[in-house]
Amino acid sequence: MAIHRTESPSTHLSYLTNIPTPSRNAPIKRLSLMIHGWGCQATHYIPLITHLTSHGLTPETGDLFIALDLPGHGQSPKSTLPAPEKGGIAKLILQLCAEVLDSFGQRHDQTETVVYAHSMGIFMALEVYSTLKNVISHAILLDGAHSGESAAEGFDLDRIREQAVQYREVVQDRLDLYFGPRTSKGFEEETREGFARLDFEYALRMSYWYGVFDGGLAGVLDRLEERNREAVGAGLRPTKVLLIQSQEAHGPNGRHGIKRGDVTEYMKFVRSHISEDWLQEWVVEGTGHYPHADDVDEVGPVIEGFLRD
């Protein structure tokens, strides 16, 4: 299977896909949109794309994968979103998806959409959901966290510049907490190199917006629950959610791995807003913060089963 890198003409976002664009040769039945987390990059999804493609999700079955580099990450320039603290990433993502689908002669309402999101990318995925609503059939949320419903501090660029300097000094040591026994050396090196290249001031400005969004996250999930009940009542498909958790990000012990049967604070939060009618959970043991890359042999089949159900 070949993975192709493309730059979007309209958004200038760089993305990976399993089908070169433009192409009108294969109708798209399912668009899988993959959003990485803070400081990460689209290449983190290559193991998962490779696994799912080798297990039947192919261009021949109408499966299109788009793993994008967020602005200022990977190969996407900061210039595509010059003021990230004001939001706008979800709009760019939707514009990119519309552009790609148009190259196949299709629209969002003509395809099933599955959203994959890791860490801070989950906020972006839920912001995208707020626009697409029940066009999204499945949401796969990888090792998320929730900081609570308190209002984010006011935006202060000078303070963020100071934080960026401090974060750059400690980030490589902090990353030790994000890797696990099954993290490959190659993936660890790739991730460390990505953080070494990162513009921390820009990335922290981006995270400010999602700190604001996080404060209203309960309402977003409540609306998802409400729309799902309305959809089922109308004979339509609900949006199913899969939580794959590998670490606890809160508590006195700091970030740490979890075991089957553990319930993280994030899992408790999501359970309090989304019913088990459309919520599934899976705990991956012995990995770090990147379960989709650390143990794709476990995570891949879990996702396959979730999509079949």
Side-chain angles (χ1 to χ4, degrees):
M1 180 210 66
I3 293 180
H4 310 270
R5 182 173 286 278
T6 305
E7 180 180 308
S8 158
S10 68
T11 67
H12 303 293
L13 293 174
S14 180
Y15 63 96
L16 303 176
T17 182
N18 63 325
I19 307 176
T21 56
S23 172
R24 295 178 183 266
N25 296 326
I28 303 305
K29 296 181 180 178
R30 176 163 48 197
L31 167 63
S32 292
L33 170 64
M34 297 174 152
I35 307 172
H36 65 72
W38 191 88
C40 302
Q41 50 194 314
T43 54
H44 284 190
Y45 279 108
I46 289 178
L48 188 54
I49 295 173
T50 302
H51 176 95
L52 294 174
T53 300
S54 68
H55 287 76
L57 277 65
T58 66
E60 290 72 27
T61 60
D63 280 282
L64 170 67
F65 292 92
I66 297 176
L68 61 98
D69 280 330
L70 295 171
H73 292 67
Q75 296 187 28
S76 289
K78 296 181 293 185
S79 57
T80 193
L81 190 68
E85 67 276 6
K86 297 179 181 178
I89 292 178
K91 182 178 179 180
L92 280 176
I93 292 172
L94 288 166
Q95 185 177 342
L96 168 64
C97 291
E99 173 191 298
V100 174
L101 285 172
D102 182 66
S103 74
F104 291 92
Q106 293 180 243
R107 303 185 310 272
H108 259 304
D109 59 3
Q110 296 174 311
T111 64
E112 174 188 355
T113 299
V114 178
V115 177
Y116 297 71
H118 171 240
S119 194
M120 193 183 78
I122 292 173
F123 298 134
M124 303 172 197
L126 291 172
E127 193 175 12
V128 167
Y129 169 82
S130 296
T131 298
L132 290 181
K133 301 181 176 62
N134 292 105
V135 169
I136 295 178
S137 62
H138 300 77
I140 298 161
L141 311 182
L142 299 155
D143 214 40
H146 172 58
S147 60
E149 298 178 16
S150 58
E153 295 182 16
F155 180 73
D156 183 338
L157 183 56
D158 289 336
R159 181 171 175 271
I160 283 179
R161 285 173 178 153
E162 181 181 343
Q163 288 178 325
V165 173
Q166 296 170 346
Y167 207 92
R168 179 173 290 280
E169 292 174 349
V170 303
V171 69
Q172 293 298 333
D173 288 338
R174 186 173 295 187
L175 281 172
D176 291 341
L177 299 172
Y178 288 74
F179 303 125
R182 284 184 283 172
T183 303
S184 72
K185 289 298 181 185
F187 180 80
E188 179 177 343
E189 290 172 2
E190 175 191 20
T191 303
R192 289 188 183 277
E193 288 171 3
F195 274 93
R197 295 191 305 268
L198 187 65
D199 182 329
F200 285 96
E201 179 185 316
Y202 183 88
L204 286 169
R205 288 166 63 186
M206 178 185 293
S207 67
Y208 167 78
W209 169 259
Y210 283 101
V212 174
F213 184 83
D214 192 15
L217 188 56
V220 174
L221 297 182
D222 288 340
R223 287 189 289 276
L224 186 153
E225 174 74 15
E226 182 181 358
R227 289 188 187 116
N228 274 357
R229 295 198 177 281
E230 291 174 352
V232 170
L236 302 174
R237 177 177 57 194
T239 298
K240 295 187 176 181
V241 179
L242 171 63
L243 292 188
I244 296 179
Q245 290 291 117
S246 55
Q247 289 194 332
E248 172 60 90
H250 300 290
N253 297 323
R255 178 175 286 277
H256 60 275
I258 58 175
K259 296 185 178 295
R260 299 243 171 89
D262 291 348
V263 180
T264 65
E265 290 301 314
Y266 184 67
M267 293 164 71
K268 292 177 185 176
F269 168 70
V270 174
R271 286 179 183 181
S272 69
H273 295 280
I274 300 180
S275 76
E276 61 182 11
D277 293 339
W278 21 79
L279 176 64
Q280 295 183 36
E281 298 172 347
W282 189 268
V283 168
V284 182
E285 297 182 358
T287 68
H289 182 45
Y290 310 95
H292 51 306
D294 286 353
D295 196 346
V296 72
D297 289 334
E298 177 176 345
V299 170
V302 170
I303 291 174
E304 293 169 49
F306 174 64
L307 295 178
R308 283 195 300 271
D309 290 343

Coordinates of all heavy atoms in Angstrom, one line a residue, residues 15 97 113 122 225 231 236 295:
Y15 N -1.2 16.8 3.9 CA -1.9 15.7 4.4 C -1.5 14.4 3.7 O -0.9 14.4 2.6 CB -3.4 15.8 4.3 CG -4.0 15.9 2.9 CD1 -4.5 14.8 2.2 CD2 -4.0 17.1 2.2 CE1 -5.0 14.9 0.9 CE2 -4.5 17.2 0.9 CZ -5.0 16.1 0.3 OH -5.5 16.2 -1.0
C97 N -11.5 18.7 3.7 CA -12.3 17.5 3.4 C -13.2 17.8 2.2 O -13.4 16.9 1.3 CB -13.1 17.1 4.6 SG -12.1 16.4 6.0
T113 N -18.6 9.4 7.3 CA -17.4 10.0 7.8 C -17.1 9.4 9.2 O -17.9 9.4 10.1 CB -17.5 11.5 7.9 OG1 -17.8 12.1 6.6 CG2 -16.2 12.2 8.5
I122 N -8.7 15.7 19.8 CA -10.1 15.3 20.1 C -11.0 16.6 20.2 O -12.1 16.6 19.7 CB -10.2 14.6 21.4 CG1 -9.5 13.2 21.2 CG2 -11.6 14.4 21.9 CD1 -9.4 12.4 22.5
E225 N -25.3 13.6 22.6 CA -26.2 12.6 23.1 C -27.6 12.9 22.7 O -28.4 12.0 22.3 CB -26.1 12.7 24.7 CG -27.2 11.9 25.4 CD -26.9 10.4 25.4 OE1 -25.8 10.0 25.0 OE2 -27.8 9.6 25.7
A231 N -31.8 11.1 16.3 CA -31.5 10.4 15.1 C -32.2 9.0 15.2 O -32.8 8.5 14.3 CB -30.0 10.3 14.9
L236 N -32.6 7.2 11.9 CA -31.4 7.5 11.3 C -30.2 6.9 12.2 O -30.4 6.5 13.3 CB -31.2 9.1 11.2 CG -32.3 9.8 10.4 CD1 -32.1 11.3 10.5 CD2 -32.3 9.3 9.0
D295 N 0.9 0.1 19.7 CA 0.4 -1.3 19.6 C -0.7 -1.3 18.6 O -1.9 -1.5 19.0 CB 0.0 -1.8 21.0 CG -0.2 -3.3 21.0 OD1 -0.2 -3.9 19.9 OD2 -0.2 -3.9 22.1

